[in-house]
Amino acid sequence: MLEELRESFQAMLEEKGERLILDEYLPKNGTYRLLFLTESGYWIGDTLEIQYDRKEGKIAGSESKYYDLICYLDYWSKLIDMNKPVDSKKVIHSNQYLSFFVKKDSISGEKLTDEVINGYFDVLKSPEKKYKKGKTRELYGSVKEKLGEVDSELLERIRKIVLERQVFDGIDFSKKDYCKLFFVWENEDKTRAVYQQEGLRYLLPNLYNSNDFNRKQDGKILGLPNNNMGMNSKKPYLHHYSRKVTVPYLLDQDETLLQMQLFDYLSGFAAKDKVNVYVCPDDAIRIKAFRNTEEPPAVSGGYYLRLKKGKEVEIHDWDIVCNYEPELERIFQLKNLIHVATDEEKGLSSYEKSYTRLWEIRGIIDQSFFQGRMTVNFFTAAKDLDMGHIGIEQIFLENRRWLFAWFWLGQKNGVETFLERMTWQLIRNALQQNSENVRKTVKRQLNVRWSLLDYFHEDRGMEERMNQVRKELKQHLTTKEEWDFSSKDEFCYAAGQMAAYLLDLSQGNSKPCSWLNSILEVKTSDIVKSRLYDLFRKYNYKVERFDPKYGKAVQLIGHIMGVTDKFVIHQEMVVAGFMDSSLIYEKSEKAVAQENGGEKK
């Protein structure tokens, strides 16, 4: 995978050059100051306050004419990581004498002493003293031969300027971000060339994870790259001792430098929260990155990378992508099967609207089941997960890999199976809660569940089943003729309607939907009948004999008790009956007509 990633990146790099990396490069928050060198001294140029606003995705300071130059200088002056500093005290975080990076609290806290400054410049003046052991000495020898000696005279000039500390005048040190100084010439081309040269003087001897692993082959030095690799003497378990070469893989300097540039490129994405990366070798743009909230385009084939920004950018996860298509094969409709008033669901996706994109379904599921927290939590550690309720968190952890594979990789196999399981678990979890909005939440969840399952199984016909069972029960409750339940579905729906009616009779201050669990926890019709009968006996004193609802309630409980067959109940239909508008309370057409000023004939 890494080899194909390098190849795609190399093709883009050959086309766009170094701008490819620098266009995505994000300097760390802090104060950036240009110091222009002259023959007799220096003068202080522009001072930029660079701050990245994660929420808005904007960079304060990027409007300056010097911003591009500062990005270039910063890129060639940064350390590979804090385990490879120039300053052994790790107070100064730059890699060459032309730049000087330090945390502001190191200055205000007096950690930046003259001794630290001198130690930093001493190492840069005589790198041979730092790179004096074994293979590292040999490696720096080839670098010195390529780049020449350090300009000691210029280095001493800059050392003296820094020690005088006037270069820090006017900078606010109250924050804990960076103070970065860049010594430059008015000739920008010269500045860029010297910065790159001195950056390479640091970079090439430190390019590999450890020079102890280096080997020579056909006149080339091969070594273990440093990216996402933490091998050292304290981690012997990472070695492959059954092989002659015990490290995972070796690259020559050119390949290692290319891989380092690749990870610098990825680091720019991660710093801007573009942590979802598609590598598409056959596309015009071979590497594309997106935030968690950005919908990816169609991908014919390639790789998906999940980035994580820590001390360095990490490839946290990866997978193969085969024909990811953001457009749905068929139009999806969100159906209002449990009738919900539209004013109850402001801000949520609309019913009876045609949805054509996969991410529209993602939004509906996120809104309805995960309180809008699904999208940003696919890779959150379990201990850090906050989905608003521990039950939702547990269900999400069990199913998030399936959800992720569907919405980011386009993998459809098994989607209907996990959706059927997951949505029902979440509905049962919602019924356990005692908040005032549970009824509205569960109605919405049932509608989403059935719409999705009907989308994947057109022959399931939940819309037709719901309409049919509601119509049949309504007719039965208004007829004067003898009747029996037409189906198991009608019995289960009626049981839910009866349970909701009995809950309304309760005089308790709280009437939680979790009350229904006493019925849902059983599986057969005979036990459902028994529990409903016990509840009816408990609350029937509240039924007024001459109330029109009395006749419907008694008729309904009587027919439920009259069912002699024993069968497994359909729990969804019980919940549907409980959540749907009550047919017991529904007025007859004659009563409605009378209220409207005329008796129905």
Side-chain angles (χ1 to χ4, degrees), residues 44-66:
I44 297 176
D46 282 33
T47 300
L48 273 64
E49 292 293 336
I50 295 179
Q51 298 286 329
Y52 178 62
D53 186 334
R54 286 186 176 276
K55 189 174 181 181
E56 298 294 329
K58 294 180 180 179
I59 307 169
S62 60
E63 66 282 354
S64 169
K65 66 178 181 179
Y66 289 111

Side-chain angles (χ1 to χ4, degrees), residues 237-394:
Y237 49 85
L238 294 177
H239 287 264
H240 296 269
Y241 287 107
S242 60
R243 303 189 326 190
K244 184 177 180 181
V245 178
T246 63
V247 295
Y249 67 111
L250 299 172
L251 297 178
D252 64 30
Q253 275 193 332
D254 290 340
E255 290 176 312
T256 306
L257 185 59
L258 178 68
Q259 182 161 303
M260 188 210 73
Q261 290 175 311
L262 165 63
F263 274 82
D264 287 339
Y265 182 54
L266 297 178
S267 182
F269 288 145
K272 297 174 184 176
D273 296 324
K274 295 181 180 181
V275 291
N276 303 287
V277 179
Y278 291 90
V279 183
C280 317
D282 299 328
D283 289 3
I285 302 175
R286 293 177 174 83
I287 301 177
K288 313 163 194 176
F290 305 91
R291 294 181 175 88
N292 287 324
T293 53
E294 292 176 335
E295 180 186 20
V299 177
S300 58
Y303 296 99
Y304 168 87
L305 309 179
R306 175 70 181 196
L307 305 181
K308 183 179 179 182
K309 182 67 174 174
K311 292 181 179 179
E312 62 171 341
V313 65
E314 299 174 13
I315 297 178
H316 191 53
D317 196 5
W318 72 279
D319 213 320
I320 296 172
V321 182
C322 297
N323 195 28
Y324 174 83
E325 182 54 65
E327 292 282 343
L328 295 173
E329 293 176 357
R330 294 185 293 109
I331 290 173
F332 170 75
Q333 280 197 322
L334 179 56
K335 299 169 184 176
N336 196 359
L337 304 181
I338 297 286
H339 297 300
V340 180
T342 53
D343 60 349
E344 288 184 33
E345 298 196 328
K346 291 179 181 178
L348 298 178
S349 301
S350 303
Y351 289 114
E352 309 307 332
K353 175 184 171 185
S354 295
Y355 295 96
T356 61
R357 302 189 70 80
L358 176 61
W359 265 47
E360 289 177 320
I361 293 181
R362 176 202 62 81
I364 291 169
I365 291 175
D366 199 2
Q367 291 170 348
S368 306
F369 292 100
F370 298 108
Q371 304 174 23
R373 305 183 190 192
M374 174 186 75
T375 305
V376 297
N377 282 306
F378 283 125
F379 290 92
T380 303
K383 63 182 179 64
D384 300 322
L385 197 62
D386 180 11
M387 304 291 285
H389 186 274
I390 190 169
I392 297 176
E393 290 170 10
Q394 291 172 343

